[in-house]
Amino acid sequence: MPQKNFHQTIIIGAGISGIKSSIELTKNGVDNIIIEARDRLGGRLHTIKTKTGIPMDLGASWFHDCLVNPLLKKTFDKGNVNFYYDDGKWDIVTKKHGVVSDNLKLRPVADEVNAYLKEICTKKYTPATDVSVREACYDYLKQKKFTLTKEQLEYAPQLVRYFELWIGSSWDLLSARCISEDAHYGRNAMVTNGYITFYNDELEELFKLKGHSETSQLIENGNILLNKCVYKITFDDKAKRIHIYTRDRVSKTIEEFECEYLICSIPLSVLKLQDYAQEGAIQWQPPLPIDIRAKLDRISFSSLGKVFLEFSDCFWPNKTDRFLCLAEPDDNLTDAIENGTKITFSKNRDSSWYKIDPRSSPDPFKYSVLFMNLSRAAKVPVLLALIAEPLTQYIESSSNEKVWQFFEPLVANISGKKTIPAPISIHHTVWSSDPFSRGSYTGLTIGDDPDACVDSLIEARDIFDGTGRVRFVGEGVTKEASGCVHGAWMSAKKEAGKIVSKINRSKL
Ligand SMILES: Cc1cc2nc3c(=O)[nH]c(=O)nc-3n(C[C@H](O)[C@H](O)[C@H](O)COP(=O)(O)OP(=O)(O)OC[C@H]3O[C@@H](n4cnc5c(N)ncnc54)[C@H](O)[C@@H]3O)c2cc1C
């Protein structure tokens, strides 16, 4: 008699990598279910709609690496996802200059700093000797100050902080070594009708493979279980079975599931947790091997934040795709370069030292903020602000009134107007305080060694009986396109494929 809760393979997490894993297994006749802690599907793909019907992507927005991204063609062929390449005109804006003239030549200097990071920092630093992007900028400026104008010295480093809005961490913490190794291929296409459209296309593939006619049947038929938080995983060595324990987030009921193979797609920020009282944390018995634990300690999670400001009409320049608002010059850095004053750089991977007091009103011109002009990309009167930590955490804990108090001077500055209307709606992300993401994606902090972590998780031979029955997938378990949707998707395809091969071999 088959046991009620037995499945050949169990997948933890219904983000893109969980769904893709299920597709690969189902296609190859492997019985599987997905267990998801949240009450919704999609994980870090999450589209909401405003009252006026505008789709807003709280998670991913772009198909990155368009030269090599396998999802782009797939989606294009399907024909229901709308794209906009938002790589047209972009303005650099400062408090002092408004829109900065190209004559200041900040971009060529920032390009040279990038070349310095790529050429020098990759070779110079190891995870043990690594420095922050801010410190690497200082090294560059010290060497090249005789070639720079005063304004370049002051503002070009602030332009290099563009990386903050790509990764989601402050340049005080960003690793110069990892940033310079972070490779990207081709253009980036912004999805304008909701990234969830792509996820839903994947769900459609899955429900058809399962013999259903709509997504809801995946849930009704128990192919995907929602609201079930996995808190413990054990292994019965005699029976060669993995036991998975879940707590229902609504009824609090505990359930036990059994499987032969396990695919774990939870974010590494959650996998790292060792305080099992924390929501989402999973206790492994026997524990995860020491090597994996040690490698998980060498990765961090960043905190990219998004803020959508919806207005009645567009009142900002509408020929520009992006507005990059630079922070005001870093006086400590400039002084150290010009007058040789002493400057210290943090080597501390822990970000708690520079948090913003939630009761304060931070100066908006101290932070880098990138505004995407959705009036151009999606023909809606919305500005989407990308922000990095520590601002992300501040915004997450602030009322809409405080959020607007922060952004108003920046929006006024990009629009070139003294008085501007207030937004009709404000929506912002809360990924840092969400227990099932605990940040945005795998980061690149000083001293991190993400490749070593990927290797240890992909090998993961010594978990349980050493036969590779546990596979890790997701955006943090890939060297190709780490942090990205297509990276998560590709890792799932590969790792689920390994389970299929194993099962096929065992049938011979
Ligand atoms: C603000 C933001 C912007 C981004 N922008 C882009 C972009 O433009 N382009 C791009 O390519 N990528 C972007 N990304 C990254 C992209 O969203 C992710 O790489 C991708 O969605 C990750 O998919 P995943 O399946 O690996 O993880 P997830 O989507 O996080 O799925 C993991 C699932 O596991 C569940 N889970 C966690 N713990 C448990 C537990 N204990 N029990 C059961 N279930 C659990 C979670 O609820 C979640 O549903 C962005 C991410 C963020 C947050």
Side-chain angles (χ1 to χ4, degrees), residues 112 116 120-121 124-125 135-148 153 337:
E112 194 168 74
Y116 172 80
I120 312 291
C121 297
K124 189 169 169 186
Y125 300 116
E135 185 168 352
C137 267
Y138 168 73
D139 290 340
Y140 164 86
L141 295 171
K142 239 182 359 187
Q143 291 174 35
K144 293 288 167 198
K145 73 170 178 185
F146 70 96
T147 66
L148 305 175
L153 186 69
I337 300 294

Side-chain angles (χ1 to χ4, degrees), residues 252-467:
K252 309 290 173 214
T253 319
I254 305 283
E255 271 179 276
E256 186 181 345
F257 296 82
E258 265 184 46
C259 58
E260 284 175 75
Y261 300 94
L262 168 68
I263 294 186
C264 181
S265 83
I266 65 175
L268 298 190
S269 53
V270 181
L271 184 65
K272 268 174 91 129
L273 295 173
Q274 296 208 57
D275 170 0
Y276 303 117
Q278 298 214 48
E279 203 172 9
I282 300 179
Q283 185 175 13
W284 297 70
Q285 282 174 0
L288 285 179
I290 291 171
D291 178 59
I292 292 186
R293 280 275 167 229
K295 298 285 166 41
L296 283 168
D297 280 346
R298 302 311 307 175
I299 57 113
S300 56
F301 230 60
S302 60
S303 288
L304 182 76
K306 286 178 154 185
V307 182
F308 293 85
L309 303 169
E310 182 190 7
F311 298 90
S312 312
D313 295 295
C314 169
F315 55 86
W316 51 91
N318 204 19
K319 293 214 164 96
T320 305
D321 276 344
R322 301 172 171 208
F323 305 93
L324 176 60
C325 296
L326 302 191
E328 281 301 281
D330 176 340
D331 291 340
N332 291 335
L333 199 67
T334 319
D335 260 16
I337 300 294
E338 285 189 326
N339 310 320
T341 51
K342 200 168 156 31
I343 182 164
T344 48
F345 296 98
S346 176
K347 298 270 181 206
N348 193 345
R349 301 170 80 243
D350 166 18
S351 56
S352 55
W353 53 272
Y354 74 125
K355 280 197 172 131
I356 306 172
D357 181 345
R359 289 157 304 179
S360 68
S361 298
D363 174 0
F365 294 101
K366 264 182 73 183
Y367 302 90
S368 335
V369 177
L370 178 62
F371 286 98
M372 319 307 306
N373 182 4
L374 298 194
S375 171
R376 203 166 151 75
K379 311 273 177 279
V380 293
V382 175
L383 284 168
L384 158 59
L386 300 189
I387 52 175
E389 67 175 322
L391 194 53
T392 304
Q393 287 83 351
Y394 170 79
I395 293 295
E396 284 191 11
S397 63
S398 296
S399 63
N400 276 354
E401 196 185 355
K402 281 204 103 176
V403 172
W404 180 233
Q405 191 185 329
F406 179 88
F407 284 104
E408 187 177 9
L410 296 174
V411 175
N413 208 26
I414 64 172
S415 69
K417 295 183 166 61
K418 280 213 173 77
T419 47
I420 54 169
I424 56 171
S425 84
I426 297 179
H427 297 269
H428 64 77
T429 53
V430 288
W431 297 109
S432 296
S433 39
D434 181 326
F436 303 114
S437 56
R438 296 177 180 269
S440 52
Y441 38 81
T442 310
L444 302 172
T445 296
I446 318 167
D448 277 7
D449 199 350
D451 285 357
C453 187
V454 171
D455 287 339
S456 77
L457 288 170
I458 287 179
E459 290 309 318
R461 292 246 155 260
D462 45 350
I463 296 184
F464 302 151
D465 59 349
T467 59

Side-chain angles (χ1 to χ4, degrees), residues 12-19 35-38 40-45 57-64 69 195 228-231 265-267 270 279-282 304-306 429 431 434-437 439-441 473-476 481-489:
I12 308 176
I16 189 64
S17 62
I19 295 299
I35 299 179
E36 167 58 49
R38 290 190 177 108
R40 62 166 181 86
L41 297 168
R44 281 170 281 168
L45 298 182
D57 274 313
L58 300 180
S61 285
W62 286 269
F63 279 76
H64 292 308
N69 187 330
Y195 216 118
K228 299 211 182 299
C229 181
V230 174
Y231 69 93
S265 83
I266 65 175
V270 181
E279 203 172 9
I282 300 179
L304 182 76
K306 286 178 154 185
T429 53
W431 297 109
D434 181 326
F436 303 114
S437 56
S440 52
Y441 38 81
V473 300
E475 57 81 12
S482 165
C484 297
V485 177
H486 61 299
W489 185 92

Side-chain angles (χ1 to χ4, degrees), residues 101-329:
S101 153
D102 279 347
N103 291 337
L104 288 188
K105 298 188 181 167
L106 298 185
R107 292 177 213 240
V109 178
D111 287 347
E112 194 168 74
V113 181
N114 288 343
Y116 172 80
L117 290 171
K118 276 227 168 331
E119 272 310 297
I120 312 291
C121 297
T122 332
K123 295 173 195 138
K124 189 169 169 186
Y125 300 116
T126 65
T129 61
D130 202 2
V131 299
S132 67
V133 169
R134 182 167 175 248
E135 185 168 352
C137 267
Y138 168 73
D139 290 340
Y140 164 86
L141 295 171
K142 239 182 359 187
Q143 291 174 35
K144 293 288 167 198
K145 73 170 178 185
F146 70 96
T147 66
L148 305 175
T149 63
K150 186 171 174 353
E151 301 225 87
Q152 286 169 336
L153 186 69
E154 286 179 345
Y155 285 99
Q158 302 309 316
L159 181 49
V160 175
R161 287 177 71 178
Y162 179 78
F163 283 128
E164 293 188 346
L165 307 161
W166 184 253
I167 309 293
S169 296
S170 155
W171 68 334
D172 284 295
L173 290 179
L174 276 177
S175 152
R177 187 186 76 89
C178 294
I179 278 286
S180 46
E181 284 181 347
D182 196 25
H184 290 282
Y185 306 95
R187 301 171 73 189
N188 303 305
M190 181 192 258
V191 177
T192 55
N193 61 334
Y195 216 118
I196 209 69
T197 318
F198 161 73
Y199 179 87
N200 288 339
D201 289 346
E202 294 291 292
L203 278 180
E204 184 182 334
E205 192 174 337
L206 182 60
F207 73 62
K208 285 185 178 159
L209 284 167
K210 298 269 191 197
H212 306 320
S213 53
E214 54 183 85
T215 298
S216 60
Q217 291 176 339
L218 288 170
I219 294 159
E220 285 152 20
N221 288 287
N223 306 119
I224 305 178
L225 309 175
L226 291 179
N227 268 320
K228 299 211 182 299
C229 181
V230 174
Y231 69 93
K232 191 163 78 177
I233 299 175
T234 65
F235 186 59
D236 176 347
D237 203 20
K238 232 171 167 186
K240 302 289 175 206
R241 291 270 168 97
I242 300 169
H243 293 242
I244 294 171
Y245 298 85
T246 64
R247 187 177 295 110
D248 191 289
R249 294 185 62 231
V250 180
S251 67
K252 309 290 173 214
T253 319
I254 305 283
E255 271 179 276
E256 186 181 345
F257 296 82
E258 265 184 46
C259 58
E260 284 175 75
Y261 300 94
L262 168 68
I263 294 186
C264 181
S265 83
I266 65 175
L268 298 190
S269 53
V270 181
L271 184 65
K272 268 174 91 129
L273 295 173
Q274 296 208 57
D275 170 0
Y276 303 117
Q278 298 214 48
E279 203 172 9
I282 300 179
Q283 185 175 13
W284 297 70
Q285 282 174 0
L288 285 179
I290 291 171
D291 178 59
I292 292 186
R293 280 275 167 229
K295 298 285 166 41
L296 283 168
D297 280 346
R298 302 311 307 175
I299 57 113
S300 56
F301 230 60
S302 60
S303 288
L304 182 76
K306 286 178 154 185
V307 182
F308 293 85
L309 303 169
E310 182 190 7
F311 298 90
S312 312
D313 295 295
C314 169
F315 55 86
W316 51 91
N318 204 19
K319 293 214 164 96
T320 305
D321 276 344
R322 301 172 171 208
F323 305 93
L324 176 60
C325 296
L326 302 191
E328 281 301 281

